[in-house]
Amino acid sequence: MKKIFKIFLIIILVLIGLLFVRPQKVIYEADIIGKVIDENNKPVSNATIYRIEKEYYINEKIGSNESKDIRTESVKSDKNGDFKFYAKSRIDWFHTPLDLPIGYCYAAFEIEKSGYEFFKTKFGEYEQYRIANCYACEKVLFKPVLVLKKIKNKV
């Protein structure tokens, strides 16, 4: 009887474990179609725009979960100042049944161009919740117009 109980308990634990660890949950990064202009509303061509994403890690020193911003891809603005990051996805292997069927989408980026001040979006500047009938951020589109400031010459 004890052996049957142990087998039953193991089966229950395995089934519970399968609820918590499922492979291949796809997370979508939104489309970003933007424009880079200067303070006079003129397009800035050949600016480098970086998509910024969070990288999560465990800080071994203090034993806490932390994150840092990383540049995951880059594009150049065209002669009209336009740029585009296409939707992309990544795989998140570990999640729980507590994951809700909603998605919080955000876009963050940095821009560099010689002769202009470095530009980085502020936290939460481009964000929205998942839209109806899509999975996570699958069909989300951000359309930022980013204004770069020229570096002032010091006399």
Side-chain angles (χ1 to χ4, degrees), residues 112-154:
E112 292 179 334
K113 169 75 176 172
S114 179
Y116 292 87
E117 293 178 13
F118 174 78
F119 179 90
K120 182 174 183 174
T121 55
K122 297 178 182 87
F123 177 76
E125 193 168 350
Y126 298 98
E127 63 186 17
Q128 75 179 48
Y129 287 101
R130 171 183 78 84
I131 57 178
N133 302 318
C134 75
Y135 181 72
C137 301
E138 185 177 10
K139 297 177 185 176
V140 170
L141 173 65
F142 292 104
K143 295 182 179 180
V145 175
L146 307 167
V147 180
L148 291 185
K149 295 179 181 178
K150 289 191 176 183
I151 295 174
K152 310 263 191 236
N153 291 333
K154 294 182 180 178

Side-chain angles (χ1 to χ4, degrees), residues 46-104:
N46 211 30
T48 305
I49 303 99
Y50 299 94
R51 184 192 294 261
I52 305 300
E53 295 179 39
K54 294 283 186 194
E55 178 179 70
Y56 297 95
Y57 63 96
I58 296 174
N59 184 329
E60 299 290 334
K61 207 176 210 182
I62 59 176
S64 68
N65 292 323
E66 297 188 14
S67 67
K68 64 181 175 181
D69 290 343
I70 60 168
R71 294 175 171 178
T72 57
E73 59 186 314
S74 66
V75 295
K76 295 271 191 185
S77 58
D78 66 14
K79 65 181 180 179
N80 299 316
D82 297 323
F83 67 94
K84 179 170 184 168
F85 286 109
Y86 294 92
K88 62 183 251 186
S89 62
R90 67 180 191 273
I91 304 298
D92 184 8
W93 283 87
F94 299 99
H95 55 83
T96 71
L98 301 176
D99 287 343
L100 300 175
I102 60 173
Y104 180 71

